[in-house]
Amino acid sequence: ELTVKTGPHGFGVLASIFLMLRGLQWLVFKHGLFALLFLLVSLAIWSLFGGAICRAAAMNIARDEQVGLKAAMAFACRKFLGFFAAPLLPVFMVVGIGVCLFLGGLFLSIPYVGEILGGLLMGLALLGGFLIALVALGAIGGCGLMWPTIAVEGSDAFDAISRSFSYLYSRPWRTAFYALVATVYGAFCYLFVRFFVLVVLKSTQFFVGLGTTWARRPGTGIAEGTKLDAMWARCSFNDLYCLPPAFGAEGWDKAGAVLIGIWAILLVMLLCAYLVSFFFSGSTIIYYLLRREVDATDMSEVFVEEEPESPAAPATAGSTVPASTPPAPASGEAGSGDSGGGPASSSPAEPAG
């Protein structure tokens, strides 16, 4: 429901994201183990498909090549460990520094000695807090650049973190500007695609509904409601899919409503898929722009895997020695005869004079 409904005035997407974050927070604190498994499985799925989208976008931007789904997924599978580990490494770094600070707090709790040494070493604790802030803010601001780094450079998770942090802290305002432009542009594109989906749904409901005008369903609560109204609620821009009315269904109407709902939800989910594809493609473009600004690297440079060597081509005339040609005789056998065991020379030696 959070995915399908966007709410009035176009702010429903942000509200849905906020509600999902609140739900994730509740899940983490109430069901920690399940939340951990859920997040790891979700990260694995996003690493595979998100990496494939970033790779396809990288090749399209740099070389204007259309990478097929099979090739993109094959690249994502080969680099899966990097895609999967890149978002987790900052978490491990923060947790590791936090454990060190925790041990320092335990040492500080020792009577008499802890107060003095703890006060003297508080500078190291502040340094640890500085590193936590650096890593946490870098991971939040540069998380969108990690997977494009691997897709463009063909590198690993450590290079993804290094480049994303470097580009973010080297050009923070430029990064924010690119993100703002991408957000505004994506919002307009999203509204257009959403309107397109609405036209698809409305036109389908209208013309199919004309064919069901003879099958009335007065219990739906809709004036002159038809059989289609009992199975498929009328959609709007804010609610692309609504549950069918609770009353008015007859016979197998409820079974038909379930099947129609599946098709409608699949169409609406394409809108969500567009948002995902736009995010990864836009992040890849931003990575190219920041790389050109920071490293002065041309946007046409992208990692291309070496193709496996093809088997040797058949020999052509004049290019190779035929297999039936005997090897050239050695220098010590230049005068040997054709038959084995024969004399070294079959002709008598000429007289010296």
Side-chain angles (χ1 to χ4, degrees):
E1 184 177 359
L2 293 177
T3 305
V4 174
K5 294 186 177 182
T6 59
H9 309 297
F11 292 102
V13 175
L14 297 178
S16 300
I17 295 175
F18 175 76
L19 291 176
M20 284 187 288
L21 291 178
R22 289 293 299 273
L24 182 60
Q25 180 183 5
W26 174 85
L27 186 65
V28 170
F29 286 102
K30 295 295 183 179
H31 305 280
L33 181 59
F34 176 79
L36 179 62
L37 295 177
F38 175 79
L39 292 176
L40 290 178
V41 172
S42 300
L43 179 60
I45 295 174
W46 286 116
S47 300
L48 186 61
F49 293 97
I53 295 175
C54 289
R55 180 59 179 177
M59 295 299 293
N60 191 0
I61 295 168
R63 308 182 66 175
D64 198 19
E65 293 183 5
Q66 299 295 332
V67 178
L69 178 61
K70 183 178 180 181
M73 291 296 294
F75 179 87
C77 291
R78 287 190 292 271
K79 298 295 182 178
F80 175 78
L81 185 59
F83 287 124
F84 184 78
L88 293 179
L89 287 180
V91 178
F92 291 151
M93 295 170 64
V94 171
V95 172
I97 299 174
V99 170
C100 294
L101 295 180
F102 171 76
L103 295 177
L106 292 179
F107 184 80
L108 182 63
S109 62
I110 300 176
Y112 304 108
V113 180
E115 293 86 345
I116 303 301
L117 293 181
L120 293 176
L121 299 178
M122 187 55 65
L124 294 178
L126 292 176
L127 178 61
F130 172 79
L131 294 177
I132 289 178
L134 190 69
V135 173
L137 294 179
I140 295 173
C143 62
L145 302 176
M146 294 181 182
W147 290 346
T149 301
I150 301 175
V152 174
E153 310 296 341
S155 54
D156 53 11
F158 295 98
D159 183 63
I161 295 176
S162 175
R163 287 177 179 267
S164 61
F165 282 25
S166 174
Y167 295 165
L168 174 65
Y169 287 119
S170 298
R171 300 292 188 273
W173 292 111
R174 185 175 291 269
T175 304
F177 174 74
Y178 289 155
L180 179 61
V181 171
T183 302
V184 174
Y185 177 75
F188 281 105
C189 293
Y190 168 78
L191 292 177
F192 173 77
V193 176
R194 185 178 184 85
F195 178 75
F196 183 86
V197 173
L198 177 65
V199 172
V200 172
L201 294 173
K202 281 288 189 180
S203 59
T204 304
Q205 285 182 331
F206 176 76
F207 286 102
V208 174
L210 289 179
T212 60
T213 52
W214 60 273
R216 297 295 182 179
R217 294 292 187 272
T220 58
I222 302 175
E224 298 182 355
T226 64
K227 184 177 182 179
L228 182 64
D229 294 325
M231 294 189 297
W232 189 6
R234 298 178 183 180
C235 58
S236 63
F237 186 81
N238 293 330
D239 298 331
L240 293 179
Y241 175 74
C242 298
L243 294 176
F247 304 99
E250 299 179 6
W252 289 85
D253 290 352
K254 292 184 178 180
V258 173
L259 298 177
I260 292 176
I262 292 175
W263 287 108
I265 290 177
L266 287 177
L267 178 60
V268 175
M269 290 302 294
L270 291 178
L271 179 63
C272 303
Y274 167 78
L275 290 177
V276 173
S277 177
F278 181 86
F279 171 76
F280 286 110
S281 301
S283 299
T284 305
I285 296 175
I286 293 175
Y287 173 80
Y288 271 115
L289 295 174
L290 291 175
R291 188 185 67 167
R292 184 181 62 179
E293 181 67 21
V294 177
D295 296 337
T297 304
D298 191 77
M299 294 184 64
S300 61
E301 294 188 13
V302 63
F303 170 76
V304 180
E305 296 175 309
E306 296 182 358
E307 298 181 357
E309 297 182 0
S310 57
T316 56
S319 60
T320 57
V321 179
S324 59
T325 303
S331 58
E333 300 176 355
S336 60
D338 293 339
S339 57
S345 176
S346 57
S347 57
E350 296 181 0

